[in-house]
């Protein structure tokens, strides 16, 4: 039979064990509260996104897309590149996509009913693209008026075409292009292939083809600034993921990629 003293000792031991267990549980809860590791809710939701983007963004966005996918496992981004006017037509026809990035604010402003609030993510300027070595000795905008030159421009409805028209008109330079292309990359291609002596393209386009063409700078006082707004599309099936990507484009990683490609900061 146990003595009263033995019973008291046993009871004390049980209470001590329970108290230690309780303190340990509290410690675990405190540790959990102090856990600073990223929660799954802090990451953008995984999704397959389709982004409609201006053709002049091709090289930079392919790099940006790969970087975003690496930082956000489970997210896949497919880009569809074309002239901004073509992208606007696709949106108007209900093309399945999640976000849109155009090469001008005018095109984006015309799609207010279809997009979220746009944010300008980059800027750009025009240069004169010429064959490598500049065999025709083109030095300035005025040289493009030479009737002996084969000059190619983007079509007037294309942002690059409007910017080209704007700067040529401002300098009272009359150019008769041998063709007007549906996007700025098509202008660049004509020069690359030797089908044109010169063409007005974005600085970033010429930089992307530096091994095939040379770029003749246009003074800022004679130039135009292209601005690239990005927005989600209201028809997106993945609105949260689309918004996260559009927001990321204004962040430091995407901005560095754009800057390295030659784009101006917004």
């Amino acid at each position: 039979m146990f003595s009263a003293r033995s019973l008291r000792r046993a009871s004390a031991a049980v209470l001590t064990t329970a108290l230690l267990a309780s303190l340990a549980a509290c410690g675990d809860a405190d540790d959990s509260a102090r856990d600073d590791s990223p929660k799954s809710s802090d990451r953008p939701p995984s999704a397959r996104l389709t982004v409609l983007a201006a053709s002049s963004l091709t090289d930079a966005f392919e790099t940006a897309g790969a970087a975003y996918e690496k930082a956000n496992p489970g997210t896949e981004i497919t880009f569809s590149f074309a002239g901004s006017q073509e992208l606007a037509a696709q949106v108007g026809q209900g093309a399945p996509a999640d976000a849109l990035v155009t090469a001008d604010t005018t095109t984006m402003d015309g799609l207010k009913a279809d997009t979220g609030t746009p944010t300008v993510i980059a800027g750009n300027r025009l240069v004169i693209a010429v064959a490598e070595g500049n065999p025709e000795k083109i030095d300035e905008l005025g040289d493009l008026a030479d009737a002996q030159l084969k000059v190619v421009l983007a079509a007037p409805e294309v942002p690059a075409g409007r910017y080209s028209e704007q700067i040529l008109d401002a300098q009272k330079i009359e150019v008769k292009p041998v063709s007007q292309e549906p996007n700025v990359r098509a202008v660049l291609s004509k020069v690359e292939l030797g089908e044109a002596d010169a063409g007005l393209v974005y600085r970033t386009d010429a930089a992307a083809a530096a091994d095939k063409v040379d770029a003749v700078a246009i003074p800022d006082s004679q130039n135009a600034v292209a601005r690239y707004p990005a927005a989600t599309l209201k028809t997106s099936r993945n609105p949260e993921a689309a918004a996260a990507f559009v927001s990321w484009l204004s962040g430091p990683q995407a901005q560095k990629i754009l800057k390295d490609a030659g784009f101006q900061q917004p």
Side-chain angles (χ1 to χ4, degrees):
M1 181 176 293
F2 295 106
S3 66
R5 179 177 294 178
S6 297
L7 289 172
R8 284 195 296 272
R9 288 178 176 174
S11 297
V14 170
L15 288 172
T16 299
T17 300
L19 180 59
L20 289 173
S22 176
L23 289 173
C26 289
D28 289 342
D30 289 343
D31 289 342
S32 176
R34 290 193 298 267
D35 185 5
D36 293 328
S37 60
K39 307 297 188 295
S40 60
S41 59
D42 295 334
R43 294 192 296 268
S46 299
R48 291 184 176 180
L49 299 176
T50 297
V51 178
L52 307 179
S55 58
S56 52
L57 290 164
T58 300
D59 301 281
F61 264 25
E62 286 177 348
T63 300
Y68 190 80
E69 289 177 348
K70 183 177 180 180
N72 298 278
T75 297
E76 297 180 16
I77 301 180
T78 299
F79 292 107
S80 177
F81 297 105
S84 295
Q85 83 291 349
E86 294 181 55
L87 301 178
Q90 292 175 31
V91 172
Q93 294 165 6
D98 302 285
L100 170 69
V101 189
T102 61
D104 67 335
T105 55
T106 300
T107 300
M108 185 67 79
D109 288 345
L111 296 169
K112 288 182 178 178
D114 302 290
T115 69
T117 302
T119 300
V120 174
I121 63 163
N124 215 339
R125 286 186 181 274
L126 295 175
V127 298
I128 305 170
V130 297
E132 193 173 15
N134 194 5
E136 300 297 333
K137 307 303 179 186
I138 297 169
D139 297 318
E140 58 184 21
L141 276 175
D143 292 338
L144 301 182
D146 186 343
Q148 301 302 312
L149 289 178
K150 292 184 291 184
V151 179
V152 175
L153 301 176
E157 62 269 19
V158 182
R162 285 199 297 273
Y163 295 133
S164 298
E165 192 174 70
Q166 175 186 329
I167 67 175
L168 291 170
D169 287 348
Q171 299 303 313
K172 296 180 171 53
I173 299 170
E174 185 177 354
V175 175
K176 295 181 179 180
V178 294
S179 70
Q180 294 181 312
E181 301 300 318
N183 60 68
V184 72
R185 281 301 173 99
V187 174
L188 181 67
S189 179
K190 290 282 188 179
V191 179
E192 287 179 329
L193 296 172
E195 296 175 12
D197 299 314
L200 288 175
V201 302
Y202 295 119
R203 180 174 61 184
T204 53
D205 295 305
D211 58 336
K212 297 178 181 178
V213 303
D214 286 350
V216 177
I218 300 171
D220 288 352
S221 60
Q222 299 176 11
N223 217 325
V225 178
R227 302 194 184 282
Y228 292 73
T232 57
L233 290 173
K234 292 181 179 179
T235 54
S236 171
R237 295 182 180 179
N238 306 287
E240 291 183 18
F245 176 70
V246 169
S247 177
W248 178 83
L249 288 173
S250 295
Q253 186 178 18
Q255 286 298 301
K256 184 179 185 307
I257 291 170
L258 288 165
K259 183 178 179 181
D260 289 347
F263 287 91
Q264 296 177 321
Q265 300 298 288

